């Protein structure tokens, strides 16, 4: 039951390969770390999956859908199946926490009452319901990342991508972020985390680890 499949996927910027000839099969419900040094192609791999970039070669199937073929006006529909979390959070600073999370559902045309209920439920799960009316810059890094997770999961996406989500957090907040992602994995979401936090990766027993070196898939291991 594959949710993400890649067939000989490459992405070039000019003459340089950011990722090269990647073939990958990810089953629904997997929890995967994408590791490798800075510049190895981890971000690019994620961007190809959520269509922030298009592959120069190869094919990518998400949920059986060939994403190279989908037109730009269909991209938002694909994005709704995927929640994305970044190292620098990418929250809107002059909107409330509530509004940041609600935006996803508003864009999807969800009814106001449903939006209120769902946003507040997710904020409670993340332990930040009391921050609903606060603005992101007034929160700690760990709290901001929890808002970002809330935004990523509020639409119940089947896939959650996290690009160095703990890169700017202390160990305690990093572990908390990982714990929340594991909770969503327990509920069936497929999780991909790009990280070079070895300590965090080795503490996550359930994960499969994929490693990139110079854009090439260097090996995949299942830790158990
Ligand atoms: P990582 O996330 O593992 O640090 P990236 O996917 O960001 O790696 O980058 C992989 C390679 O592609 C690097 O050599 C990087 O410099 C290059 N690259 C990434 N994005 C661009 C871009 N927009 N333009 C040109 N080169 C890029
Ligand atoms: P805007 O920047 O558009 O004014 P707001 O942050 O004021 O966004 O909120 C947008 C919507 O979310 C409004 O309908 C508001 O009533 C609702 N809302 C804002 N904060 C909360 C909250 N803490 N609990 C429930 N609903 C909220």
């Amino acid at each position: 039951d594959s949710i993400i499949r890649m067939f000989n996927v490459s992405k070039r910027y000019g003459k340089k390969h950011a990722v090269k000839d990647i073939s990958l099969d990810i089953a629904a419900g997997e929890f995967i770390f994408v590791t490798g040094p800075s510049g190895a192609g981890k971000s690019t791999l994620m961007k190809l999956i959520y269509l922030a970039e298009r592959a120069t070669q190869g094919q990518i199937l998400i949920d059986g859908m060939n994403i190279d073929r989908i037109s730009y006006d269909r991209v938002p529909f694909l994005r709704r199946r995927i929640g994305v979390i970044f190292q620098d959070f990418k929250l809107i600073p002059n909107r409330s926490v509530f509004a940041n999370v609600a935006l996803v559902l508003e864009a999807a045309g969800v009814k106001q009452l449903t939006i209120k209920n769902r946003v507040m439920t997710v904020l409670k799960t993340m332990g930040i319901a009391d921050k609903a009316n606060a603005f992101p810059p007034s929160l700690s890094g760990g709290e901001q990342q929890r808002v970002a997770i809330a935004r990523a999961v509020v639409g119940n996406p089947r896939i959650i991508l996290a690009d160095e989500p703990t890169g700017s957090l202390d160990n305690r907040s990093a572990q908390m972020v990982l714990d929340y992602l594991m909770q969503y994995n327990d509920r069936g979401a497929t999780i991909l985390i790009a990280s070079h936090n070895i300590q965090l990766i080795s503490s996550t027993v359930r994960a499969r680890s994929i490693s990139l070196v110079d854009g090439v898939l260097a090996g995949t291991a299942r830790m158990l």
Side-chain angles (χ1 to χ4, degrees):
D1 190 15
S2 300
I3 191 155
I4 301 171
R5 298 189 80 183
M6 294 196 169
F7 301 93
N8 307 101
V9 171
S10 297
K11 171 67 185 174
R12 267 186 291 107
Y13 291 104
K15 284 184 179 162
K16 190 184 161 29
H17 276 99
V19 299
K20 192 172 181 181
D21 203 26
I22 294 194
S23 294
L24 192 57
D25 193 339
I26 296 173
E30 276 201 89
F31 191 103
I32 293 185
F33 276 113
V34 183
T35 68
S38 182
K42 303 183 294 296
S43 294
T44 303
L45 186 73
M46 301 260 175
K47 285 177 184 165
L48 292 172
I49 295 170
Y50 67 89
L51 274 182
E53 296 281 5
R54 298 263 183 170
T56 13
Q57 266 181 344
Q59 266 191 7
I60 303 174
L61 302 184
I62 307 280
D63 236 346
M65 183 169 52
N66 187 341
I67 67 169
D68 326 308
R69 298 256 177 83
I70 75 170
S71 60
Y72 281 94
D73 57 324
R74 298 285 302 170
V75 168
F77 293 95
L78 174 83
R79 292 244 176 89
R80 267 172 223 161
R81 303 179 188 203
I82 303 177
V84 189
I85 300 160
F86 304 93
Q87 174 170 1
D88 60 355
F89 323 128
K90 296 201 193 299
L91 300 171
I92 304 169
N94 58 356
R95 305 291 305 271
S96 69
V97 163
F98 182 94
N100 267 274
V101 179
L103 211 59
V104 178
L105 300 177
E106 279 162 7
V110 177
K111 279 192 305 211
Q112 280 301 321
L113 188 63
T114 312
I115 291 177
K116 271 195 187 182
N117 291 333
R118 276 168 69 181
V119 171
M120 290 315 293
T121 302
V122 174
L123 292 180
K124 269 183 204 133
T125 309
M126 295 293 156
I128 45 173
D130 59 326
K131 309 286 185 192
N133 294 317
F135 290 84
S138 72
L139 306 180
S140 71
E143 288 167 342
Q144 289 188 59
Q145 196 58 302
R146 282 187 271 159
V147 176
I149 295 173
R151 180 183 58 186
V153 302
V154 74
N156 283 323
R158 295 192 65 203
I159 301 170
I160 297 171
L161 304 176
D163 194 351
E164 298 283 358
T166 63
S168 49
L169 304 180
D170 60 38
N171 283 338
R172 209 178 72 88
S173 296
Q175 191 58 54
M176 201 181 277
V177 161
L178 202 66
D179 289 343
Y180 285 119
L181 291 175
M182 284 195 272
Q183 279 183 34
Y184 281 94
N185 183 237
D186 287 337
R187 297 191 202 168
T190 306
I191 316 273
L192 260 89
I193 305 177
S195 177
H196 45 232
N197 187 337
I198 300 296
Q199 196 191 333
L200 207 64
I201 295 168
S202 57
S203 75
T204 311
V205 177
R206 70 176 70 185
R208 169 155 75 124
S209 180
I210 289 171
S211 127
L212 284 172
V213 176
D214 286 336
V216 177
L217 204 57
T220 104
R222 189 179 293 276
M223 303 190 214
L224 263 181

